[in-house]
């Protein structure tokens, strides 16, 4: 479905007809410490690619263009990745100051994601496994989410995010409304999809009850337990699920050190 | 004269390049990979063996399947698990479709703008290049045809990309960071109907794919000859992707078990990525060009058509700019291989078995090499009795190519030292992009 149709927009709502040369919205896309997957996801934004390019000017998007300046100003800044280096702290503040709206994109930026696993052990112990000579000059810090440093106007969750929230983000900026991002559990999506429950029926450690939806309950649909790649949702009942896992016979070690730390190494903060 | 690009565009990850020309000679040259390290080798320590594939997928947003496949095979070797033929075939399909998607993105979105003198595909499409076109004496009409051509290319690109992405997505649950491919096999397999849908997707993309490959094969890459040894995997059963012997154009022949004895990694003072070389031999070049040059006997007939075979002659295999030609040839090859494998899997009428669950932990060590889109990828793991990872080592294609990239860039600048500053700068970017580097991978 097209971008415009989906949001029941008409082109005339978006650009007032009086404007002959409607200014396109200026978007900056910024990468911090991460896999660039969110960037690729946006670049592949295939079904809506044409509409997206008609309404937005990607004035900074290094993955897609060798031109453009990170200075802004931007109507919308999209930021992927966690903060793990001191220079990034300066950068994120500059980006915030140059942008009207700033959305964090992806689990790395929102809950710490995979890079945050580093926070589970003393910094140097983790770094030692990868570097020898340069170990003592590494300035890598404990991973932080974008919201620890600057105000974030919305979270496009996922690893990588689903198309729906990406579209919602762009649409909200286009028509100047508050975005409504998905904020319920994977279980809800799972039940709507009519999947068999892998937690109840197969005893698999499914994180669906506490994980933010948006993937369409992908893992249960493929007969595997959700591993929480979209991150914990707000108001997740974590103790209840931990109790359930205990009853299923999972060890305390598995519960504390595995399931809840793969995409939740920074704890329940970062929400 | 100092020439510096702080943040290279149209490559995956963060890196810059700088060099200095003094009295008509190249004084210093560095590719500075400042992509922040995430210390995957450290993060993996203490995690359970079956978590590794989901973790290492996040090394890279364009080749997650390669990292998953390599870690899965290394871990399965460590725990003495042998996958069945159905799993092996499905893993091939995952690898082929991902490499094809990655090549497609590189060719059309990242590399092609260099040949058009543009900063991006978006700029190639944009209407506001009037002044520039006028300057070159292009008429309004020529401009319109050009724009229509780019729009047409974009349509074809999306069509082909959806066909290949659709395959990865159907087998893996999603194309990026797939979920159903795990240690022990696949938690689900697509049904016959889905296979049919994928096959018709491939069929409808055939013409567009040939057009794109044709377009690439007509480009005129700059001349350059690398001094690097071309290295890739080799297998007696076909085009090697997931495992095989390590071979080169200079007579190297080793096994994946011997990898750490054959190669060495060195930290660089100015870069977060390490430089990998063959011990006592030196720099290597790995990736599509090395594969196509050394494994040409296995390429399907589609990729062997004279129009696309530019990179198949031995002399052109040494020009790193020809990597895009090799990628185009591989696109055609993998289209054919995906089709073959899908037809075979569709023909299997027997009901797919339910996934029996993850194979149990066992103490051991495993090493695996695969061909990622950008070349040789190595993972090794030591796993203890409880299933916890005690040690991990990952060497990526861009770390393998790092030395060659710098050495080739030296040569390129020396060969063209009289060119103006801006031209040298764009030529440098173009060469680095020809390698299709992934800086997130290189540092990880
Ligand atoms: S959230 Fe996931 S897909 Fe996005 S950058 Fe981080 S690891 Fe990559
Ligand atoms: S399978 Fe998981 S996500 Fe689905 S209903 Fe059960 S617990 Fe929830
Ligand atoms: S089910 Fe859970 S782990 Fe799987 S894709 Fe969705 S959020 Fe991620």
């Amino acid at each position: 479905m097209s971008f415009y149709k989906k949001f029941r927009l008409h082109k005339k709502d978006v650009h007032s007809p009086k404007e002959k040369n409607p200014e396109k919205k200026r978007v900056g896309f910024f990468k911090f410490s991460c896999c660039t997957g969110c960037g690729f996801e946006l670049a592949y934004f295939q079904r809506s690619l044409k509409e997206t390019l008609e309404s937005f000017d990607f004035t900074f998007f290094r993955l897609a263009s060798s031109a453009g300046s990170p200075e802004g100003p931007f109507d919308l800044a999209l930021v992927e990745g966690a903060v793990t280096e001191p220079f990034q702290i300066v950068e994120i503040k500059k980006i915030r100051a140059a942008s009207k709206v700033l959305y964090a994109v992806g689990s790395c930026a929102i809950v710490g994601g995979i890079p945050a696993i580093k926070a589970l052990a003393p910094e140097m112990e983790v770094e030692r496994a990868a570097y020898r000579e340069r170990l003592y000059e590494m300035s890598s810090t404990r991973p932080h989410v974008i919201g620890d440093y600057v105000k974030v106007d919305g979270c496009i969750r996922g690893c990588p995010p689903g198309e729906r929230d990406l579209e919602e983000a762009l649409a909200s900026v286009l028509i100047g409304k508050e975005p409504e991002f998905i904020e319920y559990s994977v279980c809800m999506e799972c039940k709507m999809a009519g999947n068999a429950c892998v937690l109840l029926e197969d005893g698999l450690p499914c994180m669906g009850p506490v994980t933010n939806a948006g993937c369409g309950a992908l893992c249960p649909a493929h007969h595997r337990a959700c591993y929480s790649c979209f991150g914990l949702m707000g108001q997740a009942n974590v103790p209840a699920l931990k109790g359930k896992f205990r009853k299923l016979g999972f060890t305390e070690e598995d519960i504390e050190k595995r399931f809840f730390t793969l995409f939740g190494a920074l704890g329940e903060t970062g929400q | 004269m100092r020439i510096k690009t702080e943040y290279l565009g149209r490559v995956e990850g963060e890196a810059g390049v700088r060099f200095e020309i003094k009295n008509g000679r190249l004084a210093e040259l560095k590719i500075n990979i400042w992509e922040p390290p995430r210390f995957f080798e450290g993060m993996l320590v203490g995690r359970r063996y079956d978590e590794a594939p989901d973790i290492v997928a996040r090394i890279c947003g364009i080749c997650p399947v390669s990292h998953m496949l390599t870690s899965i095979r290394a871990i399965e070797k460590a725990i003495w698990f042998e996958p069945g033929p159905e799993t092996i075939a499905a893993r091939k399909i995952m690898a082929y479709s991902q490499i094809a998607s990655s090549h497609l993105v590189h060719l059309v979105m990242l590399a092609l703008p260099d040949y058009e003198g543009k900063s991006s595909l978006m700029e190639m499409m944009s209407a506001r290049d009037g002044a520039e076109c006028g300057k070159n004496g292009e008429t309004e009409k020529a401009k319109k045809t050009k724009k229509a051509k780019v729009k047409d290319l974009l349509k074809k690109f999306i069509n082909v990309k959806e066909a290949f992405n659709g395959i990865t997505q159907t087998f893996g649950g999603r194309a990026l960071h797939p979920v159903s491919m795990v240690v022990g096999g696949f938690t689900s397999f697509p049904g016959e109907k889905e296979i049919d849908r994928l096959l018709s997707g491939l069929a409808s993309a055939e013409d567009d794919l040939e057009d794109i490959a044709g377009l690439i094969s007509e480009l005129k890459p700059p001349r350059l000859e690398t001094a690097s040894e071309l290295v890739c995997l080799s297998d007696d059963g076909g085009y090697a992707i997931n495992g095989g012997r390590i071979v080169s154009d200079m007579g190297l022949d080793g096994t994946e078990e011997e990898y750490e004895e054959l190669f060495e990694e060195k930290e660089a003072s100015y870069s977060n990525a390490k430089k990998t070389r063959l011990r006592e031999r030196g720099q290597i070049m790995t990736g599509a060009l090395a594969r196509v040059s050394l494994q040409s006997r296995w390429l399907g007939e589609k990729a062997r058509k004279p129009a696309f075979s530019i990179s198949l002659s031995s002399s052109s295999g040494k020009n790193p700019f020809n990597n895009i030609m090799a990628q185009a040839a591989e696109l055609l090859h993998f289209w054919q291989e995906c089709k073959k494998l899908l037809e075979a899997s569709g023909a299997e009428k027997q009901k797919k078995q339910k996934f029996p669950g993850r194979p149990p932990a066992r103490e051991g060590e495993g090493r695996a090499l695969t061909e990622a889109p950008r070349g040789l990828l190595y993972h090794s793991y030591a796993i203890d009795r409880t299933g916890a990872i005690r040690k991990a080592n990952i060497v990526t294609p861009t770390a393998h190519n790092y030395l060659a990239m710098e050495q080739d860039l030296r040569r390129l600048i020396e060969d063209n030292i009289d060119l103006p500053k801006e031209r040298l700068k764009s030529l440098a970017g173009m060469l680095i992009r020809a390698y299709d580097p992934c800086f997130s991978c290189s540092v990880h």
Side-chain angles (χ1 to χ4, degrees):
Chain A
M1 202 192 295
S2 106
F3 187 59
Y4 288 101
K5 248 192 235 153
K6 200 159 187 171
F7 291 93
R8 292 187 199 86
L9 303 178
H10 296 287
K11 283 193 187 176
K12 66 172 174 14
D13 297 338
V14 177
H15 309 300
S16 97
K18 270 172 252 150
E19 284 178 75
K20 267 210 185 111
N21 266 327
E23 276 285 309
K24 288 186 184 182
K25 297 283 180 192
R26 297 163 61 95
V27 186
F29 190 92
F30 298 89
K31 172 187 177 294
F32 283 74
S33 302
C34 69
C35 84
T36 327
C38 293
F40 278 112
E41 194 69 20
L42 186 74
Y44 298 166
F45 209 44
Q46 297 160 359
R47 268 150 290 225
S48 315
L49 194 66
K50 209 173 135 270
E51 290 95 329
T52 311
L53 291 177
E54 272 169 13
S55 314
F56 295 94
D57 210 350
F58 285 83
T59 53
F60 185 77
F61 192 3
R62 264 291 174 269
L63 175 62
S65 172
S66 47
S69 149
E71 311 272 297
F74 301 106
D75 294 300
L76 171 64
L78 297 168
V79 184
E80 68 171 345
V83 174
T84 68
E85 298 274 346
F87 78 87
Q88 293 173 326
I89 301 173
V90 180
E91 261 180 25
I92 189 63
K93 289 182 189 164
K94 281 193 197 155
I95 294 165
R96 177 68 265 192
S99 313
K100 277 192 202 149
V101 176
L102 185 150
Y103 293 146
V105 194
S107 293
C108 297
I110 299 165
V111 294
I114 293 292
I117 293 176
K118 191 187 177 217
L120 297 173
E123 295 288 309
M124 200 162 124
E125 291 314 304
V126 185
E127 293 170 4
R128 197 194 290 284
Y131 293 91
R132 248 174 243 145
E133 292 115 68
R134 298 193 58 228
L135 179 63
Y136 304 103
E137 54 186 73
M138 304 243 85
S139 60
S140 181
T141 66
R142 188 176 197 272
H144 282 272
V145 301
I146 299 300
D148 281 350
Y149 292 102
V150 298
K151 185 169 131 296
V152 165
D153 300 308
C155 292
I156 307 170
R157 288 164 199 276
C159 180
E163 219 160 271
R164 191 262 170 206
D165 273 3
L166 276 174
E167 285 181 347
E168 175 72 15
L170 294 178
S172 73
V173 172
L174 214 51
I175 54 178
K177 64 151 193 152
E178 283 285 310
E180 283 164 37
F181 294 123
I182 295 174
E183 275 176 357
Y184 44 84
S185 71
V186 171
C187 273
M188 295 262 288
E189 281 185 324
C190 195
K191 293 198 173 105
M192 283 191 285
N195 295 329
C197 179
V198 299
L199 178 70
L200 297 179
E201 289 180 26
D202 304 314
L204 297 179
C206 187
M207 292 285 286
V210 294
T211 300
N212 205 94
C215 66
L218 203 57
C219 293
H222 286 83
H223 312 297
R224 89 168 266 195
C226 166
Y227 59 93
S228 203
C229 79
F230 273 52
L232 292 189
M233 60 163 188
Q235 287 137 26
N237 191 345
V238 171
L241 189 63
K242 283 186 176 170
K244 182 115 203 152
F245 286 176
R246 260 179 227 116
K247 269 195 207 131
L248 285 170
F250 290 102
T251 63
E252 218 50 40
E253 167 135 7
D254 270 342
I255 295 167
E256 294 303 334
K257 293 208 185 134
R258 274 177 71 203
F259 310 135
F260 285 86
T261 61
L262 195 55
F263 278 83
L266 300 181
E268 286 163 53
T269 57
Q271 294 295 317
Chain B
M1 175 170 66
R2 279 176 182 279
I3 298 175
K4 193 168 160 189
T5 303
E6 198 81 53
Y7 190 175
L8 281 162
R10 277 182 288 122
V11 287
E12 200 281 356
E14 295 155 306
V17 58
R18 54 173 188 260
F19 49 96
E20 196 180 350
I21 296 172
K22 266 191 202 153
N23 310 323
R25 294 181 55 173
L26 179 61
E28 201 193 17
L29 182 147
K30 278 174 183 157
I31 296 175
N32 156 27
I33 305 178
W34 50 275
E35 166 88 29
R38 286 168 291 158
F39 309 95
F40 274 85
E41 279 113 336
M43 291 198 294
L44 283 162
V45 173
R47 305 299 306 191
R48 248 177 69 117
Y49 68 106
D50 57 352
E51 288 181 309
D54 297 325
I55 294 174
V56 298
R58 273 73 184 187
I59 289 175
C60 177
I62 192 156
C63 60
V65 171
S66 296
H67 283 286
M68 294 180 91
L69 283 170
T70 317
S71 69
I72 287 173
R73 206 160 54 76
I75 287 162
E76 287 178 352
K77 277 169 84 175
I79 62 168
W80 295 66
F81 175 84
E82 293 226 5
E86 206 171 50
T87 295
I88 291 174
R91 286 178 183 167
K92 271 190 190 159
I93 294 178
M94 290 291 284
Y96 294 165
S97 55
Q98 175 210 240
I99 297 177
S101 303
S102 170
H103 282 358
L104 203 60
V105 169
H106 177 247
L107 291 172
V108 179
M109 276 180 52
L110 310 184
L112 193 61
D114 279 331
Y115 287 84
E116 301 284 330
K118 295 278 194 270
S119 62
S120 67
L121 191 63
M122 297 175 284
E123 199 201 332
M124 281 166 65
M125 273 188 296
S126 120
R128 290 164 308 167
D129 51 1
E132 210 178 296
C133 288
K135 217 167 42 200
N136 300 337
E138 274 182 58
T139 60
E140 202 55 30
K141 203 174 146 206
K143 213 169 82 187
K144 273 208 182 118
T145 355
K146 215 173 192 177
K147 251 173 73 185
K149 263 195 186 156
V150 180
K151 279 213 170 126
D152 182 51
L153 171 67
L154 188 70
K155 228 171 75 193
K156 289 174 174 165
F157 167 72
I158 291 173
N159 188 25
V160 181
K161 182 124 196 332
E162 286 207 325
F164 282 119
N165 265 0
I167 298 174
T168 325
Q169 190 181 345
T170 306
F171 277 81
R174 62 184 168 193
L176 226 158
H177 305 330
V179 298
S180 57
M181 191 166 75
V182 296
V183 173
F186 284 78
T187 57
S188 72
F189 280 103
E192 257 176 78
K193 258 199 200 133
E194 286 168 294
I195 302 280
D196 286 345
R197 187 174 49 76
L198 296 177
L199 278 167
S200 61
L202 275 182
S204 82
E206 185 172 10
D207 292 345
D208 290 349
L209 175 68
E210 289 195 355
D211 286 352
I212 292 175
L215 178 92
I216 299 298
S217 72
E218 280 163 18
L219 299 175
K220 301 269 173 290
R223 291 159 83 93
L224 181 68
E225 196 181 316
T226 183
S228 318
E229 192 164 345
L230 303 185
V231 178
C232 74
L233 294 178
S234 170
D235 184 25
D236 292 335
Y239 203 79
I241 290 296
N242 196 355
R245 298 185 69 81
I246 320 168
V247 301
S248 81
D249 64 334
M250 297 182 192
L252 177 76
D253 189 8
T255 64
E256 56 187 13
E257 306 309 327
E258 293 164 342
Y259 174 87
E260 287 179 33
E261 287 82 65
L262 290 170
F263 288 82
E264 61 184 351
E265 269 194 309
K266 282 218 173 94
E267 291 170 32
S269 61
Y270 55 88
S271 175
N272 289 335
K274 291 173 218 164
K275 295 181 178 177
T276 310
R277 60 207 297 275
L278 271 171
R279 282 181 213 272
E280 282 150 38
R281 295 170 81 113
Q283 78 205 47
I284 67 156
M285 179 163 82
T286 168
L289 187 57
R291 291 193 292 259
V292 165
S293 302
L294 300 174
Q295 298 199 62
S296 60
R297 69 186 186 285
W298 295 114
L299 282 178
E301 59 270 23
K302 231 181 177 28
R304 299 170 82 97
K305 275 192 198 155
F308 308 122
S309 60
I310 190 158
S311 53
L312 301 182
S313 77
S314 59
S315 60
S316 57
K318 284 286 195 180
N319 180 355
F321 282 110
N322 282 341
N323 196 34
I324 56 168
M325 306 295 164
Q327 288 183 329
E330 279 195 341
L331 260 180
L332 295 163
H333 176 70
F334 290 133
W335 182 90
Q336 230 178 340
E337 290 298 303
C338 281
K339 187 163 174 274
K340 246 192 257 169
L341 283 168
L342 286 173
E343 278 164 356
S345 86
E348 277 171 36
K349 286 276 183 281
Q350 83 263 35
K351 200 137 173 62
K352 312 271 184 202
Q353 283 166 359
K354 201 176 168 206
F355 183 62
R358 314 281 169 103
R362 183 172 164 166
E363 190 175 348
E365 278 186 44
R367 302 170 158 190
L369 270 171
T370 64
E371 287 283 353
R374 290 149 189 78
L376 222 53
L377 173 62
Y378 176 74
H379 280 230
S380 82
Y381 299 88
I383 294 162
D384 72 13
R385 224 163 16 91
T386 67
I389 293 169
R390 285 290 149 236
K391 195 171 181 299
N393 186 18
I394 296 165
V395 190
T396 66
T398 301
H400 283 118
N401 280 331
Y402 191 0
L403 263 174
M405 249 159 44
E406 268 188 351
Q407 293 305 324
D408 288 349
L409 191 53
R410 289 195 140 267
R411 257 193 201 198
L412 182 72
I413 302 301
E414 278 163 359
D415 288 355
N416 296 282
I417 201 113
D418 298 326
L419 289 180
K421 189 171 172 172
E422 277 313 303
R423 186 75 191 102
L424 281 178
K425 196 170 168 175
S426 66
L427 211 51
M430 188 170 175
L431 175 64
I432 294 173
R433 276 189 285 277
Y435 266 97
D436 189 9
C438 173
F439 295 118
S440 294
C441 280
S442 74
V443 176
H444 60 274

